[in-house]
Amino acid sequence: MAERLLLIEDEEKLARMVELELQYEGYQVEKALDGRTGLERALSGEFDLILLDIMLPALSGMEVLRRLRRESQVPVIMLTARDTVVDKVSGLDMGADDYITKPFAIEELLARIRAALRKRPAQAAPEERTLLRAKSLTMDTERHEVMVDGQTVELTRREFDLLRYLLENKEKVITRESLLDHVWGFDFVGETNAVDVYIRFLRAKLDERFGVKLIHTVRGVGYVIREE
C-alpha cells in the first residue's frame, strides 16, 4: 500500500507542484493550506509522514509541531524559507525529523522522505519489549521512554534513535559513518556533522543534567557508551 503523506503548505502553487511530483512517485498526498487545518488532519493518525511549512496562517508550523508531538511521533520534515541555524535547530529540537530549505530540488525532497520513512519506529509486539540500561539510565523501547534516576527525559525521535543505537552497542565504539547509516539512513543528504550536533544535544539532556558520564568520544573514530 502506498504511503500517505500530508503536505501543510499555504503557497498553493508550490503545494500543487509538490503534490503532483509526490503522486507521480506513487505516494498518496493530502494538502492543508493553513496550520489549524493541518494540525487537525495530522492528529488523525492517517499519515505516514508530514511535510510542514514553518510560515503558515492560523497556526505557525512550529506551533503545529509542538502540539503534534504531544500525541504523535509521525515523521515530520520542515519546509522553511529561513536558512538560519536558529530556525533549523529549533525545529529539530522540537521534534522534527529533518528540514529542507526553499527553494529545493524535488530529488532532494524525495531523498529526505525516503530516509524519514525508512526510520519509522516499528510497532513492537508485547514480547518484543526491550529495556536498555546504562548506569542509572533506562530506555523502554516499546513505550519510547527514557528515564534517569527515576526522572523522565524528553528526547526528540532522532535523539531517541541515536541513543538507542548506542545503547544496543554499549561498550562498542561506533563510527560517525555507522551512526549516520543506521540512524539517518544511507541516502542522508544533510550536514556531515549531524552526529556531533546530536551527541551534544544528548549530553546536555543526560550527562550535564544528571552529572553522569555516559557518552564518551573516541578521538578520530566516533562515540561509545561505557558503564565505567
Side-chain angles (χ1 to χ4, degrees), residues 14 17-18 79-80 100-109:
L14 174 61
M17 182 273 289
V18 172
L79 309 177
T80 174
I100 188 168
T101 305
K102 302 177 185 176
F104 50 80
I106 194 65
E107 292 81 6
E108 181 182 3
L109 178 61

Side-chain angles (χ1 to χ4, degrees), residues 16-76:
R16 179 57 177 161
M17 182 273 289
V18 172
E19 178 186 32
L20 291 173
E21 292 286 354
L22 294 177
Q23 288 176 339
Y24 180 79
E25 294 295 323
Y27 296 109
Q28 295 182 31
V29 184
E30 181 176 325
K31 300 195 305 294
L33 300 177
D34 66 82
R36 195 169 301 280
T37 302
L39 177 61
E40 291 175 358
R41 294 301 298 130
L43 289 172
S44 70
E46 300 175 9
F47 301 96
D48 299 295
L49 181 140
I50 295 171
L51 299 170
L52 176 60
D53 186 29
I54 289 182
M55 302 295 290
L56 291 168
L59 208 62
S60 74
M62 289 295 189
E63 183 62 18
V64 170
L65 178 63
R66 187 182 70 82
R67 297 188 190 185
L68 177 63
R69 280 294 178 253
R70 293 174 181 171
E71 302 182 31
S72 172
Q73 291 299 317
V74 61
V76 175

